[in-house]
Structure formats: structure tokens, C-alpha cells
Amino acid sequence: MGFTKKDYEFLGEIGVGPDNLGGYVDGKWKATGPVVSSVNPSNNQEIARVTEASIQDYEEGMKACNEAAKKWMSIPAPKRGEIVRQIGDALRAKLEFLGRLVSLEMGKILPEGIGEVQEIIDMCDYAVGLSRQLNGSIIPSERPDHMMFEMWNPLGIVGVITAFNFPCAVLGWNACIALVAGNCVVWKGAPTTPLITIAVTKLVAEVFEKNNLPGAIFTSFCGGAEIGQAISKDTRIALVSFTGSSKVGSIVQKTVSERFGKCLLELSGNNAIVVMDDADIDLAARSILFAAVGTAGQRCTTCRRLYLHESIYQKVLDQLIGVYKQVKVGDPLEKGTLVGPVHTRASRDNFEKGISSIKSQGGKILVGGSVIESDGNFVQPTIVEISPDASIVKEELFGPVLYVMKFKTLDEAIEMNNSVPQGLSSSIFTRKPEIIFKWIGPHGSDCGIVNVNIPTNGAEIGGAFGGEKATGGGREAGSDSWKQYMRRSTCTINYGSELPLAQGINFG
Amino acid sequence: MGFTKKDYEFLGEIGVGPDNLGGYVDGKWKATGPVVSSVNPSNNQEIARVTEASIQDYEEGMKACNEAAKKWMSIPAPKRGEIVRQIGDALRAKLEFLGRLVSLEMGKILPEGIGEVQEIIDMCDYAVGLSRQLNGSIIPSERPDHMMFEMWNPLGIVGVITAFNFPCAVLGWNACIALVAGNCVVWKGAPTTPLITIAVTKLVAEVFEKNNLPGAIFTSFCGGAEIGQAISKDTRIALVSFTGSSKVGSIVQKTVSERFGKCLLELSGNNAIVVMDDADIDLAARSILFAAVGTAGQRCTTCRRLYLHESIYQKVLDQLIGVYKQVKVGDPLEKGTLVGPVHTRASRDNFEKGISSIKSQGGKILVGGSVIESDGNFVQPTIVEISPDASIVKEELFGPVLYVMKFKTLDEAIEMNNSVPQGLSSSIFTRKPEIIFKWIGPHGSDCGIVNVNIPTNGAEIGGAFGGEKATGGGREAGSDSWKQYMRRSTCTINYGSELPLAQGINFG
Amino acid sequence: MGFTKKDYEFLGEIGVGPDNLGGYVDGKWKATGPVVSSVNPSNNQEIARVTEASIQDYEEGMKACNEAAKKWMSIPAPKRGEIVRQIGDALRAKLEFLGRLVSLEMGKILPEGIGEVQEIIDMCDYAVGLSRQLNGSIIPSERPDHMMFEMWNPLGIVGVITAFNFPCAVLGWNACIALVAGNCVVWKGAPTTPLITIAVTKLVAEVFEKNNLPGAIFTSFCGGAEIGQAISKDTRIALVSFTGSSKVGSIVQKTVSERFGKCLLELSGNNAIVVMDDADIDLAARSILFAAVGTAGQRCTTCRRLYLHESIYQKVLDQLIGVYKQVKVGDPLEKGTLVGPVHTRASRDNFEKGISSIKSQGGKILVGGSVIESDGNFVQPTIVEISPDASIVKEELFGPVLYVMKFKTLDEAIEMNNSVPQGLSSSIFTRKPEIIFKWIGPHGSDCGIVNVNIPTNGAEIGGAFGGEKATGGGREAGSDSWKQYMRRSTCTINYGSELPLAQGINFG
Amino acid sequence: MGFTKKDYEFLGEIGVGPDNLGGYVDGKWKATGPVVSSVNPSNNQEIARVTEASIQDYEEGMKACNEAAKKWMSIPAPKRGEIVRQIGDALRAKLEFLGRLVSLEMGKILPEGIGEVQEIIDMCDYAVGLSRQLNGSIIPSERPDHMMFEMWNPLGIVGVITAFNFPCAVLGWNACIALVAGNCVVWKGAPTTPLITIAVTKLVAEVFEKNNLPGAIFTSFCGGAEIGQAISKDTRIALVSFTGSSKVGSIVQKTVSERFGKCLLELSGNNAIVVMDDADIDLAARSILFAAVGTAGQRCTTCRRLYLHESIYQKVLDQLIGVYKQVKVGDPLEKGTLVGPVHTRASRDNFEKGISSIKSQGGKILVGGSVIESDGNFVQPTIVEISPDASIVKEELFGPVLYVMKFKTLDEAIEMNNSVPQGLSSSIFTRKPEIIFKWIGPHGSDCGIVNVNIPTNGAEIGGAFGGEKATGGGREAGSDSWKQYMRRSTCTINYGSELPLAQGINFG
């Protein structure tokens, strides 16, 4: 029996059918939990059905995964890199289909859907090189006939809990590095994007299979909070990488810390753009638009706060309002659409609640501000003029709502940028070196991502991605993020026959 | 009025008198809390009196410190390095006196007391070089006319809470790096070693004063849990470095995490030595002795578990028992003493309770096992034959008690080594490369410190110090530990006039 | 018109015909020099004909290359990485054919031929990751409002002159890194392996073409000394990477240095294996065989000197002689062959001359020692007992000749290992850590490659490949070898309005 | 018998008398060469006499040095760092006296003399930290049971040949790093600054003596070309670090290369400053002055070429001419002097010859242009308007002569900057990020030092110092310059019992 719509038939190309098992357990597809529907956010109709994994499936999967971990960590890193290279090629072959599924199930526009899959492919390519560079150090010892090593060994198992807004790229950031580093991966995708979880897992699984490696090296579950909690508590999982809200992240951290596990947190963002009086205003306006309405305002790096220098305040605002009025909201798979639906009906309700709070806190809607009546979850891209003191400005309202505020001096702008609990991304528009270097320096933005003349979003994989403060402090993708996926040992080897002590101590 | 004992008069050379103020607040000595006695663990008599800091003193100190942070982070790192160099020289000039004070107040033998101070001096020398090497990265961007930087900026304020067993070295590990990294330091020493806190702070303070820098850059408090909690909760303190038990560390972590602060934890150790059948037994025996009875078994890296290959079990044990019987326990300042008192009467009581538990769990005392009746807190270095399944073997009993166990194969020894909640240090004695490399590899010891043919203790500052699992995961001293004292920003700068997007996305 | 032999028809799959143009000039195949034959070393019959590039072709190619350099260095490094990824995939698709051609034209056995091509593919994969990691540094400045950068920029054009023994792998080591680093590559392959030069160039060229990039980015010439000299003298070529003999390398270096260009030299090796008395003798014997007779002794890393501890001297020797007698010499494409022909008739003559010198210097042929009469260039794998003082032992005789010598102590063995002018590779067989760490330490082997329990040959690409002393000091492939393909600038940027001077100097 | 002038008596404080032995040979002061005078460039009168080292002294010194090398490289690097720390302290204690001697004997003004000595002290502090960070790497091997190391071992002996213009700082750059890296140092100072050579050597020597280490670790000679050639040819000296002209450097390189030794060359500079139309002109003018007349134009980083944007050409020029007229030329030890004498009478003659060539090539003297008649070697700071095509503009005229030229576009300015054979330093004055990043990027300045808004001179030790093209390509001081003072080995250790081959090759 086929899909309800012809449009969905492409899903067959990437292993998704009308009915799917949502657990990849010990190298086999299996799921004994409840059956859920994957829903198209553009019309709230079912795309396909998925049987979620039960806690029994989880336990079975973890047992196999734990066993597979011993084998996987014994394989030399460059050989693990070769597997990840093949995963990259498998994804590359299906780039268009996967990107289309991301758009369909998550709701972001097609170029963003494809871009998201491209990001995993980029990560695979990157990780292949990394597999020959997970370098330890040989540190000069102060003792004769001694060697001091800093070794990096695999952790064992890495749990990855991802969110709906990047239903597969975040898996890519984590899994590519975790795998070359010698870890098995346990993935729980978002409950509302199970088809993406399944499609990506299938491609990965085929690679392991083709190489006669245990499928359990990559174990994957569709499911909700119960599976998430199981991962948090599971002492077999050395590192839990969690992407989601600061609120839930804080609970995950507490649970994992209680068992002295490691956490890698990518939590809420509340990101600002600062526009200085000398800025290239066209460049700024285009960047703000992409940053504020891209992915319908549901990126963790979405720009939610806009600080405009008083001298160009009105000019930038007028330009933005003009552009906002022309933004095409609609089916994310349709050409020309810039803003798709928000992900769920609950997201739409949340947007409405947010707008109501904004108004009650004195915010003035300059453009947008309403939901769009339809079967889908469409809302209007919105600009709000509001006082920096309004409490809602400190929160992450997960939709295309932009708060605009005015400032007089750079110091004031930086202070406002830093005044929220979150610390993910930030950007300034200016052409003055003294401002650029102050902005990225000790007295500048306190975020993990500190941009100049580009949007708050759109990170490259070569850098480390993540944020400070309530954003959780984790770093993914490039730079030395790989160290989080390994355990470090400081090893001192005495190959002589004497026993000199450090700090010149004489004992006995 | 002078000291009660002539022996204590040297304390005047390092700024300690019979009565002392236990708070260095905004560059002035001030304390309005309760008066406590510093007690000599060899006889439980008062050395001197200290007025502890009150929570009001804390608040006053932190306000000044927070203000000083803005200034200190503006000073170029190499200039901060020059200050740390001067601190090193100030300590070097008083090495003997400070070492003597450590022995007197903490109870470790003089060579260890001096070694501990030497470690801070080494850290200062190291940090001076580091002040020109806190390097960020320039990462190739995938976009034309873009630069990608990874910047490292100061955190602001680093809180350091230290324990009695290393009353000043741990401060040194943290403060030297934290200072060159551009942070102010807030130090709370152990409540039972206030004189050391004061003496070290005085030397540091003089350097800041001589350089016309705010004393508040280094703020220091004698005090107890109340000050510790204040530090944990204080949102002005970006990083809390805590050394102590896993139990208290877990609470600190929870408190700090709730406010999304950063933690650096150095918690309990429960460290094993494995002796293989091919080991150099003399080398092993000397190492075990130093590791098990040094600092009266109160190092976090103290060897508490000894795994002997069955073929050399009796031989090593006999040799150890022979040596243990000759170990001189006594006044740590007296020449020839190898084991001083445990730190407090409570520590002595704890030892007694531990011995009693050991017996009830089937442990057999091979040597030692009793407290030594005296005014001081002396206990006998103790060897216990016990089953690896005894629950007490999984705990950290903070005294000179060594559990001896037998094994047949390397795999078994590694499994036993890894079977406790803690993961600080470990050591193997062997001459076989295949064993050495297995031991330090993915299937080897799961500790942060993984030694070969040396004791579990006695780390060099060039490596990263710290442990996994319940030891807390922090790393101090060398390698890239400095990164924990800084915040990382990934900065992308567009200096062109176009707006290309990452992953080749086309928006709008 | 087709090939003279049906066996050669596979060459059509990789762009080689019976008659070929040996210059890839400004994106077009062109050559106006003399026509030469490519000869099969197994029978000295022609495989195909190649028109070599003339000096006019060279000049035309270089002009275009110089122009292309401006464009190529403007493309972001990760985009250059994507091109190299495609090159890797293009080679992967033709791995078997290319490997077969290497065997056919160079004479090494098929597994080695395929292994050589695999090495380029590995280099491509590695370089892709590297393209996001060509990191500069941000170094703390001692001056306020100053930034200090270490930038790495492309050199422009890199010349690569390769030798017959690795007719394409060495190109891969250099070109993959040079290309991602932003350089154009000018390749002159060995005069006797033009078909490989052409086949590899064709695959590379297609990738540039497909991506609408100038073919001149990769410019390639079949030719001899004239082209080589032109490269050495050409001020447009910032770096000349030369592989060949110490004698010729010395001339190249002189020529390049006179114009203050950069050289990367991979010159003669004269590599020793030391077998200690505790060695695993089977492992050693297998390693020595591969190291000494692999590629018919024509690797730069071929083992030419064997130092055996006196206690195991005869045992190892007997085992080796036994094995040597069974080694199958013959057609390198035939299954079971271990040793193919030496590359040319001149190589065969050289072998004969070498044997004659050996005899005149007192060397005793233990096995082999003769050429094998046939149409091809086959010689017998040879073991020679000789005095370490014989002058021929200090030279690189490029064929399967192994000198065996005896030693008593480790120090003696190390001294003998280090006693030759060359410093490429070396290996010791032992199981003692104190020997291993001495061997790789300051008093150990003085070579660039220092192995333990593996042959002298068979390097992995993740490490830096190259040697000291008369081997020329260059390093290729992994580690930080990429730095040689870039120019380093130390940049200090003052973004403030003051002019503080370094070292606190006060001027005026 | 004392000094001829009372002013010279301070020399006694740093071990210099009226008559001195100019060789530190095997830990003893000894010299059997000719007696030469050290002359004060301000009046050409003798300061003191020095017996130079003969070639016999050299040989005796090198024999001892070679012996000492074995010992020094056995001492753990951090212990070597402690020695260098003591050297730094010894210099710090005599900073004022040494700085005064530099001014007296070399001729630079006192703040520069003291700054030069401070630079060695900074290098010592830096090298101490480095002594625990001379890290090798542990690289993931593609083969199971294999470890791949990159080890860094000492070279043995490093020869340092320094020039008169930085008679001791350059020694500091080299020796501090060379020593912690485990090398002995052989120093030949400039023939005209023997007293500085002696004074610095005495302080260094005392440290070795105090630590009971062979003085031969630091071997030092006063002498001329004969000693220099001996160093170049000496196969015991693995690395020759040479500072001087491109012409002599080229000969040194040739000599050293012929024996396959290593060279580190710091040769001629011909450094330009570019002033853009948006520049801060006051900042630029002050920088140009310091860069062009500091050290009487005898720094390798002296600004010799000035490119002014046509729109601000006259304005900057007028300002410069005004300032030049007020520059005080005179006794370098006198307060207020900005420009001391050039170093020798020959330097003065050379200046005169240069001026004459300038005129004959159409150069127009805008200010200065004459020698100042006196007993000393004083010349006038000079500005010349000249065509960029004049051949003298491509040469390094070692005196305070500045060529001024006009440009229209940034591209033109960069092209002119890059149009000379030398490639040491360069600087641009601008406030535009797009210019800054172009300037430091692939299409920008081709120098080793690429500054923005600071002079061409005045490098910090944390960065790598040195230049491209005819400047020789060497890098000293910070960054990874230390690698040049060590030899790198790629070590692969098989600790298993199998023999897997790289690239998956199957042999036999």
C-alpha cells in the first residue's frame, strides 16, 4: 500500500514508506512502542506512520551497542574515517531527496533543507581528514628516562538527542566526530521528525552493513521523553549531547551530572544584531531578514533582537518593514517561498501567546503579528518595537519575531547584547576596525558566536559551534570540538630503572 | 605579643602573626567573621588565631573584584605574565619558610611541604611563557572575503576552592593560569589551613601593590561552607574550580550548573597500582610505598588499591610489609620522618571507622591498622588483604590504608582497576610494550592519569592533571587546561560587500 | 591504430593511447619535443609513444599557470578542498587500471602498484579535511589595542619533480597539499614513466574542467633534465619539491637557493634495520624481506643495511637466506611474483657494477648477486656479508642488495645506523621499552623515520615523510608538512590610536 | 690599569676590562688571535682591547662543545628551562649596564640599547615556559597495535653568527630556544662589538658554572670571517643561524647546504610603509620616523621605502620633513638624542656613496643628505623623492635614508611593496577592514612581517620573526620557530605480533 499523496513517493528512494519501524536496534529495524503520525506542518496532514521504540527496544539496542563499542574502538581511527567517508558518499547520492524530506517534515524551505543535509556531508568529509589527526601529545618530562604522553581514547558510547529544527544536521555534527573518535552513537531524533531519523539511519546502516560491521555501532530511536530520560540516566553512555531548550537542557545536565557523565549542551539562543551608524545598510538589512525569518525564526541562531544606532534607526527600520511586507510565506517546497510554516500547531499557538505577551508588555507591532488562517501552521514574520527592559526580550520566543531597539553608544549596544541569559550568537555591522576588534575582544560580545557583517546564523563547520551561559557551553563541529568525544589521559612512562620524583621531592 | 612557641617565629618572615585577619578584600586585610584557631596536627595545639571572613566581607570583596576584572582583562596577556613572574620570584624567595608552614599546619613531611610550594613556583614560570601563547586560531572560511577566527577571551572571575591536603599547590595550578588568562581570582582556602592561605595571599598581594594594580585582582578568604556556597551561587563568578570530595563536588556542580556557570572539579580518587609478573619489583615496592603512605595517604592520587599478579603476589607483599614496619611515623618537620599525622582528629576517627568497616567486610589487616595514641593525629600505615568485591574498596578512605588484591590476567587487572566510581590515577609496573600500550589505550585504564613504572602520585605540571567519572572530569595545570579559564568565540568577519551563505544556501 | 599488445588495451580506460602528447599546457594537451618510447621493464619493449614537452611548451604552460595562480588562491580553501575530493573520487574510480599501469611501466608488483595509487587517494581524503584546518594563529600581543596574527597564505606555484620509483604517489603527497593550500602545481614526472604522468594528469584535468576552473592550475610535463632545470631556475615557482638522488638534489638546491626560492628535498636513503637479541625473529625476518626486496630494492626507504646482534646473527641470517631462495622474481603483473624487474637496463648494469665493487671491497655474496638473463631487467635479490667500514656501505645502491653486519651493544648498533651520510629511515626490532625509547630519543637513530618492529618502508600518510642529512631535510604528507606549501606572515595590527612600542621602548 | 675614561668604568660591573680575552672555550676564557680595538662610533676612539679567538681556539672550543652536547641533550627539557630562567635573571640584574654597553659600542640610543637587552630577557622567560611544551605528537595509526609518534629531539650544536646592529638580541632569540631544545650554542658575535659578546657570555657562563654544568654548552668567540667560515663548514654544527646581508647569507647557505647542514637565515630587508588616503596621519608620521631613523636606519626592519597615496602625499611629506629637521642627532647615551652615529666610519662612507648614487639616479634630497663632520660617524637623517624604477630603491642602503614615492591605488601600492628582492617587513596605514585583510591575505604583502598602523620595526617575541625571498626565509623567536632547532622523527611502533602494511598492501 502506497503513500496517500503522489508527492510523497520520492520517500521510497530513501527508505521511507507509509508505515515505518522507528528503531534501529542491534543492526535490525524493530520497534514495539506506540504508532505515531508524521505530519506535514504546511497542512497538518499525515505524511506517514511510525512505530516508536519502546523502552524494551532501547534496552535491547543499548546492550548490543555496548558490545559493539568494544569492537569499534579497536578499529584504527583512519579505518573508521573510511567508514564515515562512505557515509558521506551515501548521503551525497541522496542529497536532493533528503533535503526534500527535511522541508516536508520539518517545514523549512527547500534550499535550507538541502543545505542542512549538505552540512552533514561536509562534516563527513571533514571527519575523514580528522581521523588521521586525533593527535595526542608527547610532552617533555622533567625526569630523565621518562616519557609524558597525552593520549586521547574513545569514550565508548555517545548519546545524541536532537531537536526538530535541525532534524539531521545536528546529528551530523555529533555523529561524524563521535564515530571517527571511536565511539558508538545512540541517536534519538525529535518526536515530530521521525521520517528524517529513519531515512538518515537507513543510509548510515547500509554502510556499516556493506563493511561487515555491527549495525549496533549506530543505534537509533524514534521516541519521546521516555527514551530521552533513559539516555540521560544510562551509565553506559559516557557523553550525552543534547540540543533543545535551556529548561530541558538543565534537567538533562542535572541527570547526567548526578551519575558523573559528560554533557554537551546546545540550548536556547536569543541572538542580537547590532547595526552601527557606519554600517553598510543594505548588507545589514539582507542579513537581518535571513537571520530573523529564515527557518521561520526557529533556528537556535535566529536573530530575535535588533539594536540599531539612533542615527540610522528609522532608515533601517523602514527598509526592513518594506522587505517584510514582501516576504512570501507558504509551502516550503514551492519555489519563491522564503518562510514556511512553524513546525507544529503548538508552535503556532505559542507564537500567538508570545504576541499577546508582547502587547501586554508595551511592545508595538510594526509589521506582522498574526497567525495566518489555514490548515497549516503559518504565522506572519513580525517586527516589534519594544523597550529593552521588557521581560519577554530576555526569552527565546521560537518563531519569526524580531524586537527592535535603539542605542546611542557602542558600549551601550554591547551591554544590551550581553544582558540576556542566553549566549549563543551575535553580530555587528560596522566597517571600523576599532569596533570590530572591541566586539570580538574581552569587553565585547559574550556569545559563543561573534560575527561581523554577516547574520547571526549560518555557521561554517570548520569553526566550533555553540554558546555560553544558558546556551550551555558545548561546542560542536570544527576546531578542537573532537576532544569532547574522547577521554584524555596524562601518561607518564618510566623506562629507566631509577625513581626520580616530580618537583624534586626526596622521599625516604 | 608573640607566638606561644619559639618554633613558630619563622612565620613572621611570611607575614603570619599570632593573630591574623583572614580576608584580603579590595586590596586590604579585613575580616569580621568568627575567630578560629589554626591547629598543629602533630599535637592539636593552637599555632595562631585567624579571624575568618564574614559574608559581608565576601560581598565587599566581590564587588571590588568585579570592578578590578574590567581593568585586569584590559592589560595585555604578556604584561599579566610579567606579574605572575614576579609572584613566582616572591614565592621562590620564601620557599623554605612556606614549605615549613605547609608541614606545620597541614602535617605533611617537610620535603613534601617544600615540594608543594615548588609546584606553585613551577606553575608561575610555566604561566609566564603561556602568557604569549594563549593562541586563538584563524580558520579558513569557505566564503570569499571572510575571515574566521577562534578567539579566547578572559572569563572575568575565577573562584578557587581548595582542600586541606594541598593547601596551596592547587591554588597555584588554578591561579597562575587564571591570572595570565586575564581573570581575577577569588580564593577560599581550606578552613583548617588558614595560615597558608594568608601567607600565600600576602606574597601575591605585595606584587600587585608594587605594580600599582588593584589588590582586588586576587581576593582571598579564610572561611567555611558559607563562603563556599556564596562562591557557587555567585553569578559574577564564571568558573568555580573546586577540589574536594565527590560528594561535595556534586553539590557544587549542581549549584553552579543551575546558574549555567562553569565548573572545574578535582574530586575523589581511588587509585590503583597493578604489578605484572615481569615487573621490576624493587621499583614497584618503592613506588607503592611513596604512593600509599606519602602525605599520610591524604593525596587525591594516593594509591589505595594494589593489584598483584598471582605469581609475584607473596613476594611483593612480603617486601612491602617489611618496609611498612620500618616507616617512621612522627613529627613531619623532623628529619627522617616519612609519615606525619593525618590532618585532624576527625581524620583519625575516620581512619578508625574505616578499619572497623574493613574488618566487618572480611578484610585482613596485614600490617598497621591502629591509631597511635598521642596528642597528635597519628595512625599506622596499613596494608589490608581484602576481596575486590568488598564495598569499602570502591570508596575513598582518606588515610594510609592500602588494599591488596590478586589477579591472573591483564584483562582482569584492568577490569578491576576500572571497577570503582572514581577515575583519577592509576599505574602499572611492567616492561612489556604490548602491555604498556594496551594500558594507555582504548581498552586500558579509564583514569585521567595513567602511569607506567611510577607511582600514582607525583604529577608534573606540564601535563593536564585531573580525572574521569566521579573524579569530576576537570583538568588543571599543563596541556590545554588554560582553555577552561577562557571563553571561546567563533568569529566570522565579512570584509567584502557580498553576502554568501555557508553550505552554499541561497536565500531570497 | 591500437596498442601492439592486447594486454595494453586497458590503458584506454585511463586516457592513454599508443601515441600520446606529453604536456598539459594551459588546459590543453600539447607537446612539441622529441618522441620517446615508454618501455616495459619486464621485456624492454615499447608500450606506447610519448611526445615530450619542449622548453617552449614549458614557457607557455608556465605563463598560463602563473595567471591561473591569481585565481586559484582567491578561491576559499574549503572550496579548493572540494576539488581535491573530486580528484580523489576520480582516482578511486580507476584505482585498478592505474595500479596496473604503475606495475607495467615502473615494474613494481601489482599490489604495490595499486598501493601506490591508493596512497594518492588517501592523500586526497586527508587534504579535504585539511582544507578547513590550514589554521593561522592569533597570538596575544604585549601592546594594548593590538592584535598579532600568524597568517598562512599560498606560495603561488609549486613545482614537483618526481622520480621513477614512485611515479605518482610522490606527486600525490605534494599536489594534494599544495592544491588545498592554494597553489598551482607544475609537475614533471620521471622521463621513463610518462604514461603514468599522462594518465594521472588526465584524471586531474577532467576535474578542473568539470568545475569550470582553468586547467593551468595543474600543469604537467613529460620531459627530462631540461625541464627540470627550467623549474629550478624559474622565479615564478616559489617552491621546488624534488625527489631523487642526493647528488642531483644538491644541484637543485643550489640553483633554487641562488634565486632565494624554497626547496623541499626527498633524496637518497640508506636505511638500516637493527635486530636486537630479544627480537621477535619471525616478525623481523618478514619485515626485512619486504624492506629489502620490495619494489626490487628501489624504494628510497628500502632497507640496505642490516645490523644483527651477534647472539642471533646466524639464526636470522639462515632464515633470511632460506626465504630469499624462495622469492619469486618475474613479471610484476603475475600473481605470486614478489620481485619485479629493476626499472631500466641501466639500473641492471648499475646492479652489476655494484656487485663487482662489493666483491672488490671484501663483501661476501651469501645469496643472489647476479643479473638474470632475459629480455627484461631482472636481478637476483642479494644478501652480502661485509665490513661496516667498506665504503660501498655508505652509498645508496639502488637495487635489492642487503648488507649484513654484526654488533654487540645497542650503542654500537646506533652508531653504525647513524654512520652514513643519508638519514631517511631506520628500524629496530626489540620488545624492551628502554631500548625503544632510547632508539627514538636524543641518543637514538638520527633519521627522519624511526621505526620499531616494522620495516623501514611503508609509511602512513598521517605522519611527516622525509629524512635528515643527505636525504635533504624535507617533509611531505601529514603532520604540519602543509606549512612548507604556504608562506607565513606575522601580522601586528594596531586598531587603537596610540603607538606603544615592543620591549617598552620609548622613542622620541 | 683602568679604562681611559671614567665613563667606561661601569663596564667592570659586567665583566669587561680594558683588555679582554675574546674566546670562551671549554668553560675557560682563552684567545690566541690578533688583538683588536673596540671603538666608540661617536668618536672613533678605543673603548677597550680584545684578543680575538684563533682557529685553534675555535677547534679546541668545538671539541669540548661536541662533548658537552651529549650531556646537555640528556638533561630533561624543563631542567634546561630552569638554567635559561637563571640566565634571564642574571641579565635582568645587569639590564642597565648591558644596555649602556650596547649604546656605547654599537651606537644606538640608550632606550634602544636597554630595549635590546630586555628582548633577551623576554626570550628567556618565554623559553622557560617552552621547555615544558616542546611537544611531539601521537598520531592515529591506520594499523592495529601500532603507535605513530612525531618526536622532536635536539640537533646537537647550533651555530649563531650575529651582526653588529643587534649585537646581542639576535643571540637571545636563537640561544634561548636552542638551549631549551637541548642544543649547545656556538656564538660568533660581530667583529666590531666584541665587548657585548664578552659581557653577555660572562653572565651566561656564570650560570652554567653555578649549576656545575660544562661551560662548553655555551661556546663563544670574538672574531671575523675565518671563524664564520669555520662554523659554516663544521659538520658538527647541525644548524647555522646567520644574520647579515643577503650576499654573505647566500654564501653561508651554499657552504652549509653542501654538507647537508641546516640554515636559518635573517638577511637583508628593504621595508616599505604604505599610507592610504584614510590613514591616521599623525600616527603614520610618528611610525615612519621611528621606523626610518631609529638605530640610525641600521635595523634590518628599518623603513627604507615610503609609499604615499597621492591625495595625502604632500601633507605627509611636509609633516615628515618638519619632524626630520628637529630630530636630535648625537651621542646615543645623551638624553634627548634620537639618532646616534652609524656604526663605523665605513658605514658613513657607504652612506655618502649611497647619496651620490641616489643623485645620479635622479633622486631629489628633500631633507638631510650629508654626513655630519665630527670625530664620530654621524650622518643626517635623509628623505629622498625618487622614481620607483631607480635601481637603488631595490637595494638595502644601511643608513637613515628614506625613499618617498606616490601611488594611486591599493593594488599599485602592493605591487610596489612586493617589487624588491627582499621580503622582511612591511606596513600599511589604513582604517578600512577590506584593505587590512587584503594586505595580510594572499594578494597582499609578500613579506614575513606584515603590519598595520605600526612601524615596520619593533617586533614582539611571541610571533615568528623573519622574512621571505632574499631575506632568507628563516623564522626566529616565537610561534613554532623552536622546531627549527630540533630534528623531527616520525616513529611507528608495532607492539603487536602481526605485520599489517600501510595502504593495505599485501606482500608475500
Side-chain angles (χ1 to χ4, degrees), chain A residues 69-355:
Chain A
K70 287 174 208 153
K71 176 155 189 183
W72 183 239
M73 66 171 64
S74 298
I75 293 172
K79 302 289 183 201
R80 296 189 302 245
E82 168 60 16
I83 299 300
V84 171
R85 190 190 65 75
Q86 293 180 30
I87 292 172
D89 271 1
L91 292 164
R92 190 176 274 115
K94 302 289 185 184
L95 172 60
E96 292 289 330
F97 294 128
L98 284 169
R100 179 164 284 272
L101 170 55
V102 171
S103 287
L104 178 67
E105 192 178 36
M106 186 277 154
K108 62 178 67 172
I109 63 172
L110 189 54
E112 291 186 318
I114 290 172
E116 173 163 0
V117 180
Q118 183 59 46
E119 202 160 345
I120 320 182
I121 297 169
D122 287 352
M123 280 302 304
C124 287
D125 292 345
Y126 179 78
V128 176
L130 203 59
S131 73
R132 292 187 189 268
Q133 296 171 296
L134 301 162
N135 287 8
S137 304
I138 304 174
I139 302 171
S141 169
E142 69 190 53
R143 291 174 270 189
D145 293 346
H146 282 57
M147 298 285 284
M148 183 154 46
F149 293 159
E150 180 165 271
M151 294 284 296
W152 292 95
N153 283 308
L155 290 174
I157 302 177
V158 171
V160 184
I161 301 175
T162 57
F164 74 84
N165 61 337
F166 279 91
C168 60
V170 173
L171 180 271
W173 292 348
N174 283 281
C176 295
I177 307 286
L179 286 172
V180 297
N183 304 292
C184 290
V185 170
V186 179
W187 181 23
K188 187 194 94 58
T192 51
T193 56
L195 302 183
I196 298 166
T197 306
I198 290 168
V200 170
T201 300
K202 288 219 162 152
L203 288 165
V204 173
E206 275 163 28
V207 171
F208 282 103
E209 203 168 297
K210 206 172 58 188
N211 287 277
N212 290 316
L213 285 164
I217 293 168
F218 192 88
T219 296
S220 158
F221 302 110
C222 298
E226 199 189 17
I227 301 287
Q229 278 163 23
I231 289 174
S232 297
K233 284 184 188 158
D234 198 326
T235 54
R236 291 167 297 197
I237 299 178
L239 168 71
V240 177
S241 174
F242 173 84
T243 300
S245 70
S246 295
K247 203 177 136 190
V248 179
S250 190
I251 296 166
V252 169
Q253 178 170 41
K254 204 183 138 193
T255 309
V256 176
S257 295
E258 264 164 13
R259 59 171 176 90
F260 286 108
K262 290 174 197 289
C263 264
L264 196 170
L265 302 175
E266 298 284 345
L267 310 179
S268 303
N270 183 357
N271 317 290
I273 288 180
V274 173
V275 185
M276 296 302 296
D277 51 357
D278 72 310
D280 176 334
I281 288 187
D282 284 347
L283 196 74
R286 272 188 296 145
S287 298
I288 295 162
L289 180 72
F290 178 48
V293 311
T295 322
Q298 297 167 109
R299 289 179 172 237
C300 44
T301 53
T302 290
C303 175
R304 310 193 180 286
R305 297 180 291 141
L306 177 62
Y307 298 107
L308 302 174
H309 188 267
E310 54 178 4
S311 69
I312 44 91
Y313 182 81
Q314 204 54 49
K315 188 173 170 194
V316 175
L317 207 48
D318 289 348
Q319 194 163 334
L320 273 179
I321 291 170
V323 178
Y324 262 63
K325 287 187 173 153
Q326 290 163 15
V327 163
K328 189 178 157 200
V329 181
D331 185 340
L333 285 163
E334 215 162 90
K335 225 180 154 172
T337 302
L338 274 196
V339 177
V342 292
H343 186 53
T344 59
R345 188 50 62 152
S347 309
R348 201 187 89 147
D349 296 347
N350 199 44
F351 171 87
E352 276 193 301
K353 260 183 257 165
I355 294 293

Side-chain angles (χ1 to χ4, degrees), chain A residues 250 253-255 257-258 260, chain B residues 58 161 225-242 246-265:
Chain A
S250 190
Q253 178 170 41
K254 204 183 138 193
T255 309
S257 295
E258 264 164 13
F260 286 108
Chain B
Y58 172 81
I161 301 175
E226 199 190 17
I227 300 287
Q229 278 164 23
I231 288 174
S232 297
K233 284 183 188 158
D234 198 326
T235 54
R236 291 167 297 197
I237 299 178
L239 169 71
V240 177
S241 174
F242 173 84
S246 294
K247 203 178 136 192
V248 178
S250 191
I251 296 167
V252 168
Q253 178 170 41
K254 205 183 137 192
T255 309
V256 176
S257 294
E258 266 165 11
R259 59 171 177 92
F260 285 109
K262 291 173 196 290
C263 264
L264 198 171
L265 301 175

